Amino acid sequence: MSAPNQAGWRPAMGEGGEAAVTQTASGDRGLMLEEPLIFELGRPGTCGIDMEEPAGAPVAGLAKFLRAEAPALPGLSEPETVRHYTRLSRQNYAIDLGPFPLGSCTMKHNPRLNEKMARLPGFADVHPLQPQHTVRGAIGVIVELAEWLVTLTGMHSVAMTPKAGAHGELCGLLCIRAALEARGDAREVILVPESAHGTNPATAAFAGYRVENIPATPDGRVDLAALKARLGPDVAAVMITNPNTCGLFERDMKAIADAVHAAGGLVYCDGANFNAIVGKVRPGDLGIDAMHINLHKTFSTPHGGGGPGSGPVVLSAALTPFAPLPFAQRTPDGTVRLIEEEDAPADHPQSFGRMTAFHGQMGMFTRALTYILSHGADGLRQVSEDAVLNANYVLRSLDDVLDAPFGKSGPCMHEALFSDEGLPDGFTTLDIAKGLIDEGFHPMTVYFPLVVHGAMLVEPTETESKAGLDRFITAMRSLAARARNADPSLKSAPHLAPRRRLDETLAARKPVLTWSGDQPRT
Amino acid sequence: MRYLPLTPAERADMLRTIGAGSVDELFVDVPPEARLPGPIAGLPGHASEMAVERHMTRLAADNLSATQAPFFLGAGAYRHHIPASVDHLIQRGEFLTAYTPYQPEIAQGTLQVLFEFQTQVARLFGTDVANASMYDGSTACWEAIAMAGRITRRKTAVLSGGLHPHYTATATTMARFTGDQLATSLPELSATPDDSAVIAAIDGETSCVVVQYPDVLGRIPDLAAIAAAAQSQGALVIAVVTEPVALGLIEAPGKLGADIVVGEGQSLGVGLQFGGPYLGLFGCREKFVRQMPGRLAGQTVDADGKRGFVLTLSTREQHIRREKATSNICTNSGLCALAFSIHMTLLGGDGLARLARINHARARATAEALAKVPGVSVLNDAYVNEFTVTLPRDARDVVRELADYGVLGGVSLGRLYPEASGLHNALLVTATETTSDEDIHALATILEAILVDTHEGAPT
Amino acid sequence: MTTYYTKDHEWIAVDGNTGTVGITDYAQSQLGDITFVELPPEGSAVKQGDAPCVVDSVKAASDVYAPVSGTVSDVNDALADAPELVNTDAESGGWLFRVTLADAGELGALMDRAAYDDYVKGL
């Protein structure tokens, strides 16, 4: 009589495990799947879409422009296409898989209701240049979202067209520039804290300003006295991030704004960290004149592997006339419209112009409005409270094993900042980050802000459960211990990810940016 | 609230670990007068999925969509059929909820897609290289102009009259800050674009000449002739492609001498979405790659010698160069680039060529039907899927009247050029593979009915 | 030939009226793998304190300041294909550009080797 369970586990199978199989014939290892390029898989003649060959010749005038051959692009059938991209997707970490504690990125859960609403044909299948009376619902979404953003920030209006945060910063600065020029007071300098994200000085330089640094105090905030000493008739504006890039609230924000205004300048606020205060604090009450909001951060629109984003800019009453076209508005009789070039001379004559074709990232507006309606005023307030609570929980659970440069001076806001102070020689922030990959997490933001050595900026967001935080904390404590004990395997982490550390030097010295295997290089 | 996992007991437990008595203590740095005492008044509270869906569905219903009406709009945004797999694949959480691939070991999915996308765009455009996408075609066009200024160290850009007016307006706004001088003009209502005017404007001070291909009226400029003239003066040629499907039928701009090719990728995979998010495409010659803005994915190897991909040449970007960056772009249009790439993979080169032939056949059928309507004449000698017709009166009014009959009949030039009254009787009409015979019949018969009341010689 | 050093870690080896400029070995060790060098155009004018040259590593772009004023007479073409020369041979084969001096008096503000070595020790 034969024993039961012939095909299942037997005690004798204990030995070996993963180490027993060093090479597979396929190159795959279990569910860790390798995937070639479409150029190695596909064939130009293959097509995964059924189309009939049209009858009839092209119009005569086209003859001299016709291309001789079809483009040299590979095609795949539908099953092969689905498989290719599904296999590739499995080599990505994502919010849907686990904590994504990137400081200043606000990697919160992306609700699927957002996706469903964005795909309603009334939003997805309408053209930006249809007559406005055929798209009142879509324009209504833009205006309703704008009204929420204005109320949440305590400002006057919103420029909805900027395509991303950096684009929004540019929009805000161009409004400021236009306003100063309109009052005959063109100024040349913008002051930016050293801790600011690189987009701030880059944008200011692009807008034609000279950028000067504002120093920080030992407790990580803008030095108000130094700022006041520098203000003068040549300072157009100050760009402040609040909470700042160290995760700290600028306590002197109102005093900063008052000082800048008294000197004739304006205050631009980088709203990347709005998640810390949304629903609890209105930046308008602190004296700002313009602030961009990252819908893909605070308002949950998906990051999509790098974009698209959306960066609407809330504006004061004084800056509103200069907002770019098209400008979304609810008229006194309640109808919604977009002011474009045709009506601008009468209704929005001081606009600084157009920043982009069409009218903004509508797909992100539907998602963000869906999210805002889901949370409501009470839910959004809970968002910022839980975000700040989670970050402080992480801070206090790790500040005995990692240096927290501002940990002694009080609580953090929505993100916790650590430095590499105290790590033994030869062990760096990068090693901790790469070790975190082996533990199954995406690393936190590293080496930003620049003002802290070996910075590690952790933003858990409010959608992280306590259990998820505890798992992350356990992993971080283990990594800190391995570093303290000079564990050499940390220096070559990660070991368990789809790829080990990649040669970025080679990629920069000898850039290979396209596939040329089946094509002669020109 | 369904998106907030913390329970009251957990919050209390965490506060104990932190050593704070309440969450408000964590906001101690916020001045008391700025701390709102409760949820902002006048705003609704949280709502169930069902309630939100009801609200958004009502707003969605208050739109006339392309699914509900014969649809002939183009002018820089095109309606094509997107295969069902595209939308399913981009909604996989590993693509949708991933971040910029700064940690390449766990982002090879995104990075390999970008490398494939860059290659597809470069081949489609006929350029050596392409980047990992920009916000949209209009900002990509501006970035190309700025790049040409940096390369040639010259200050004057010639923008052809056939460039989309939103692209011209965007460049005009930005050029005020870089000191680039833009020579712009309006399009002529002629059967072919005025290439000789563009060529005549090029001189030794010209950094670049910007030519849309096909142009805003759907006509096709002679890029090779313009490129020859530009090269003789040391100027760069920037070709702008707002409808990449057209490149299935007409020659790639890179092969005709364009140095930089930019465009709008929305036609493939992305969808109309009332204007965004869209997909900026950017390709150029290899020798200019370090001047190119935007992210780039590059091939390399890992510590085990396995092929892998990383973001590279990052020192051009603003988070490193700060004031001296090549541009201030941070985000690309990653998910849209993925959608484009999937759609292009399903098509393949032969499929794209067939799709372009179908588009042209539908446009030809539409043009022939409209040419039979009294008072309507087709302007273009040549077009791919978009052409211009002239009407006996202001096309803006005709478009509104067509909409009242449930037909989305095209884009009036008056909408695009409100101040150029000479263009106001013209209408841009686009047909794609989604355009049926019934749609064409509806447009032609209703247009005829609307125009039958027009008297010859009525004031415009 | 005399070599002078700056606080920004450039060296200039002066022979007659020509100075050869590069970055010090200390500087290259701080920058990591050099991936690209953006060199000034031959014939361009530079002023002391300008940044006519940029050295890229993977994660940073560092300005190289002109130690003296003058005209760029030559650049190191080998760096186009082998930027790693700046890592392996910063103080000779990895030189960046040559300049015809406008004012030899500017050299007085620079350090000699001993002073530079002391300066680096104090960092």
Side-chain angles (χ1 to χ4, degrees):
Chain A
M1 194 155 96
S2 54
N5 194 26
Q6 292 280 30
W9 179 85
R10 316 290 298 148
M13 287 175 183
E15 282 87 70
E18 196 181 314
V21 184
T22 48
Q23 286 281 76
T24 59
S26 66
D28 296 335
R29 296 178 68 81
L31 277 181
M32 296 266 281
L33 306 170
E34 294 291 326
E35 182 59 14
L37 294 163
I38 48 174
F39 309 97
E40 295 165 318
L41 293 169
R43 304 152 297 280
T46 302
C47 184
I49 300 174
D50 290 324
M51 290 178 280
E52 284 170 14
E53 186 60 43
V59 293
L62 205 52
K64 59 180 185 284
F65 299 108
L66 294 175
R67 58 186 303 147
E69 290 165 354
L73 291 163
L76 290 174
S77 67
E78 182 178 307
E80 292 168 301
T81 301
V82 170
R83 193 164 288 169
H84 177 72
Y85 291 97
T86 303
R87 287 167 72 100
L88 284 180
S89 77
R90 292 169 53 82
Q91 296 179 19
N92 268 3
Y93 191 89
I95 298 172
D96 280 1
L97 290 176
F100 215 125
L102 281 176
S104 275
C105 295
T106 313
M107 301 294 287
K108 64 173 71 183
H109 170 69
N110 302 150
R112 290 317 196 271
L113 182 65
N114 296 0
E115 298 306 309
K116 188 176 177 189
M117 296 299 92
R119 286 166 169 83
L120 293 170
F123 298 138
D125 221 1
V126 288
H127 190 288
L129 295 175
Q130 290 182 211
Q132 288 199 19
H133 74 276
T134 67
V135 283
R136 291 280 177 227
I139 303 176
V141 165
I142 302 178
V143 170
E144 190 173 343
L145 175 62
E147 289 167 347
W148 269 95
L149 296 177
V150 159
T151 309
L152 286 171
T153 56
M155 301 293 283
H156 185 78
S157 73
V158 198
M160 294 299 287
T161 62
K163 295 269 183 178
H167 211 213
E169 287 173 39
L170 183 61
C171 176
L173 288 193
L174 295 186
C175 286
I176 286 174
R177 185 179 192 104
L180 291 173
E181 280 173 0
R183 73 176 198 220
D185 188 12
R187 298 171 170 218
E188 298 145 20
V189 175
I190 287 192
L191 304 179
V192 178
E194 271 172 327
S195 57
H197 191 280
T199 48
N200 289 181
T203 304
F206 176 82
Y209 290 103
R210 207 171 70 243
V211 174
E212 287 180 24
N213 276 331
I214 315 171
T217 60
D219 75 341
R221 282 139 175 118
V222 164
D223 186 333
L224 178 60
L227 171 67
K228 281 182 170 168
R230 178 56 190 88
L231 286 171
D234 64 336
V235 175
V238 138
M239 293 177 87
I240 301 281
T241 310
N242 190 21
N244 66 25
T245 60
C246 299
L248 306 168
F249 193 85
E250 292 283 359
R251 304 177 193 110
D252 293 329
M253 187 69 228
K254 189 74 173 55
I256 292 169
D258 290 343
V260 173
H261 292 147
L266 292 162
V267 179
Y268 182 83
C269 185
D270 181 326
N273 291 331
F274 191 42
N275 207 51
I277 55 175
V278 63
K280 253 184 113 66
V281 181
R282 284 185 302 231
D285 294 343
L286 299 167
I288 64 163
D289 298 293
M291 180 175 99
H292 79 270
I293 296 173
N294 299 79
L295 296 185
H296 48 292
K297 296 185 182 186
T298 318
F299 295 106
S300 87
T301 73
H303 280 80
S310 176
V313 185
V314 288
L315 298 167
S316 65
L319 291 182
T320 294
F322 307 99
L325 297 176
F327 187 64
Q329 189 184 65
R330 192 186 295 279
T331 60
D333 68 359
T335 53
V336 293
R337 67 165 180 156
L338 294 167
I339 303 176
E340 296 181 6
E341 280 83 354
E342 185 169 5
D343 296 324
D347 300 331
H348 196 55
Q350 292 180 285
S351 164
F352 70 74
R354 196 178 253 286
M355 293 185 80
T356 174
F358 310 126
H359 15 271
Q361 306 284 64
M362 179 67 185
M364 295 6 239
F365 301 156
T366 46
R367 289 170 169 89
L369 182 60
T370 300
Y371 175 83
I372 285 173
L373 292 172
S374 296
H375 274 289
D378 57 328
L380 289 171
R381 186 184 172 81
Q382 192 69 58
V383 163
S384 67
E385 289 185 354
D386 283 357
V388 169
L389 178 64
N390 278 358
N392 278 278
Y393 181 67
V394 170
L395 177 67
R396 298 306 171 201
S397 302
L398 291 176
D399 63 2
D400 61 322
V401 295
L402 284 174
D403 173 64
F406 305 110
K408 299 253 184 325
S409 63
C412 61
M413 297 295 294
H414 65 312
E415 52 196 7
L417 179 59
F418 303 95
S419 80
D420 62 1
E421 177 80 34
L423 291 184
D425 267 348
F427 283 82
T428 64
T429 291
L430 187 69
D431 301 324
I432 302 274
K434 298 301 186 187
L436 204 50
I437 291 176
D438 278 336
E439 293 280 347
F441 299 90
H442 191 282
M444 57 289 190
T445 296
V446 292
Y447 300 106
F448 178 81
L450 300 170
V451 294
V452 164
H453 199 274
M456 294 178 245
L457 192 61
V458 180
E459 182 185 353
T461 85
E462 75 284 359
T463 59
E464 211 46 56
S465 67
K466 182 169 180 299
L469 294 176
D470 287 335
R471 268 201 315 277
F472 174 77
I473 288 163
T474 301
M476 286 295 289
R477 294 186 72 85
S478 162
L479 290 166
R482 284 169 65 193
R484 274 199 312 276
N485 298 331
D487 175 355
S489 71
L490 208 48
K491 297 292 302 166
S492 50
H495 301 273
L496 306 174
R499 284 295 177 268
R500 299 193 48 212
R501 288 201 206 188
L502 289 134
D503 190 345
E504 300 192 16
T505 300
L506 175 66
R509 282 184 181 161
K510 304 268 183 260
V512 174
L513 307 172
T514 58
W515 173 249
S516 57
D518 58 338
Q519 295 262 290
R521 288 203 77 83
T522 51
Chain B
M1 197 282 158
R2 61 189 181 278
Y3 304 143
L4 300 175
L6 295 182
T7 66
E10 286 170 338
R11 290 189 183 106
D13 195 12
M14 291 161 74
L15 282 170
R16 266 192 298 279
T17 303
I18 293 166
S22 70
V23 162
D24 265 345
E25 280 180 37
L26 304 177
F27 285 86
V28 64
D29 288 331
V30 180
E33 61 275 11
R35 241 182 282 168
L36 298 170
I40 295 174
L43 292 175
H46 65 279
S48 65
E49 269 207 11
M50 201 172 73
V52 175
E53 201 167 328
R54 196 180 300 136
H55 180 90
M56 295 300 284
T57 304
R58 214 177 294 128
L59 284 168
D62 195 13
N63 298 296
L64 182 64
S65 76
T67 19
Q68 300 164 290
F71 181 91
F72 293 90
L73 281 84
Y78 301 92
R79 182 178 190 241
H80 291 283
H81 173 78
I82 301 175
S85 328
V86 174
D87 205 34
H88 275 276
L89 288 166
I90 68 171
Q91 288 187 80
R92 285 188 68 83
E94 301 95 323
F95 284 134
L96 187 75
T97 73
Y99 186 63
T100 310
Y102 290 130
Q103 299 289 350
E105 299 91 338
I106 47 173
Q108 288 299 298
T110 297
L111 285 161
Q112 183 167 328
V113 165
L114 291 178
F115 185 80
E116 294 178 348
F117 169 82
Q118 286 167 191
T119 306
Q120 288 170 319
V121 173
R123 289 193 183 180
L124 185 66
F125 279 177
T127 53
D128 297 326
V129 297
N131 73 14
S133 77
M134 320 273 309
Y135 303 144
D136 78 331
S138 68
T139 53
C141 177
W142 158 250
E143 293 282 351
I145 294 170
M147 176 175 159
R150 284 194 299 275
I151 291 169
T152 59
R153 297 172 201 254
R154 296 178 182 177
K155 279 304 192 185
T156 307
V158 172
L159 278 54
S160 76
L163 182 63
H164 193 295
H166 288 189
Y167 287 40
T168 305
T170 299
T172 303
T173 303
M174 297 293 121
R176 296 211 304 267
F177 307 101
T178 56
D180 287 280
Q181 305 294 317
L182 304 183
T184 64
S185 55
L186 293 170
E188 298 285 311
L189 281 181
S190 51
T192 56
D194 194 353
D195 297 332
S196 54
V198 170
I199 288 171
I202 306 171
D203 64 18
E205 295 301 306
T206 307
S207 61
C208 62
V209 53
V210 183
V211 183
Q212 186 169 315
Y213 174 84
D215 79 357
V216 69
L217 301 189
R219 304 167 306 188
I220 299 154
D222 185 347
L223 271 184
I226 295 170
Q231 268 145 34
S232 72
Q233 295 279 10
L236 300 183
V237 174
I238 299 171
V240 179
V241 179
T242 61
E243 171 51 308
V245 171
L247 298 183
L249 199 55
I250 57 179
E251 187 56 273
K255 299 256 167 57
L256 297 172
D259 299 286
I260 303 173
V261 183
V262 297
E264 176 51 66
Q266 167 276 322
S267 281
L268 292 173
V270 176
L272 289 173
Q273 301 174 92
F274 198 50
Y278 283 173
L279 176 64
L281 307 177
F282 198 115
C284 70
R285 295 188 191 277
E286 182 141 25
K287 63 182 175 182
F288 298 139
V289 74
R290 286 175 198 274
Q291 292 299 322
M292 185 163 56
R295 296 188 180 135
L296 285 166
Q299 183 177 320
T300 185
V301 289
D302 82 341
D304 286 337
K306 289 190 198 160
R307 178 177 71 192
F309 303 94
V310 291
L311 290 179
T312 191
L313 301 188
S314 327
T315 52
R316 300 156 304 122
E317 296 177 59
Q318 40 67 31
H319 61 284
I320 291 175
R321 287 297 269 148
R322 297 171 75 96
E323 299 92 276
K324 300 184 189 163
T326 51
S327 82
N328 86 328
I329 184 171
C330 206
T331 323
N332 66 342
S333 204
L335 199 67
C336 299
L338 172 64
F340 176 99
S341 198
I342 297 171
H343 195 164
M344 187 65 95
T345 297
L346 284 165
L347 279 170
D350 286 5
L352 181 67
R354 182 176 311 162
L355 179 63
R357 287 194 293 276
I358 294 171
N359 271 249
H360 180 67
R362 303 313 297 150
R364 186 165 186 180
T366 307
E368 285 167 3
L370 293 182
K372 297 194 180 107
V373 174
V376 176
S377 56
V378 175
L379 183 71
N380 305 40
D381 268 2
Y383 52 86
V384 178
N385 62 3
E386 180 165 37
F387 56 90
T388 305
V389 295
T390 50
L391 306 177
R393 57 184 173 88
D394 195 323
R396 282 175 291 188
D397 298 327
V398 174
V399 163
R400 282 193 273 266
E401 292 160 41
L402 284 167
D404 290 340
Y405 281 97
V407 172
L408 294 167
V411 179
S412 64
L413 283 197
R415 179 80 183 264
L416 294 175
Y417 303 96
E419 296 182 355
S421 53
L423 299 174
H424 288 180
N425 284 11
L427 177 71
L428 296 181
V429 179
T430 302
T432 71
E433 74 283 2
T434 63
T435 310
S436 67
D437 290 336
E438 292 77 22
D439 293 334
I440 297 173
H441 182 72
L443 176 63
T445 45
I446 295 171
L447 184 61
E448 181 162 352
I450 288 173
L451 293 178
V452 86
D453 299 326
T454 305
H455 303 292
E456 290 283 32
T460 50
Chain C
M1 181 154 80
T2 321
T3 308
Y4 303 83
Y5 298 82
T6 71
K7 288 201 158 60
D8 294 309
H9 312 288
E10 292 96 15
W11 55 265
I12 176 167
V14 181
D15 190 356
N17 210 30
T18 304
T20 304
V21 179
I23 63 171
T24 63
D25 191 59
Y26 172 80
Q28 73 75 23
S29 71
Q30 294 296 300
L31 291 175
D33 291 341
I34 307 289
T35 57
F36 183 73
V37 182
E38 194 184 307
L39 293 165
E42 287 179 28
S44 56
V46 293
K47 283 204 313 289
Q48 189 181 43
D50 278 355
C53 174
V54 183
V55 169
D56 284 6
S57 51
V58 173
K59 295 285 194 243
S62 304
D63 290 320
V64 177
Y65 297 98
V68 294
S69 311
T71 315
V72 175
S73 60
D74 198 4
V75 297
N76 188 350
D77 294 315
L79 298 178
D81 281 324
E84 56 269 23
L85 276 173
V86 180
N87 290 119
T88 55
D89 216 358
E91 298 187 12
S92 74
W95 64 276
L96 301 173
F97 60 93
R98 294 203 168 103
V99 64
T100 308
L101 272 66
D103 174 8
E106 288 174 333
L107 296 168
L110 308 181
M111 294 181 271
D112 64 12
R113 182 87 217 193
Y116 176 70
D117 286 341
D118 278 340
Y119 167 66
V120 168
K121 280 205 200 78
L123 287 174

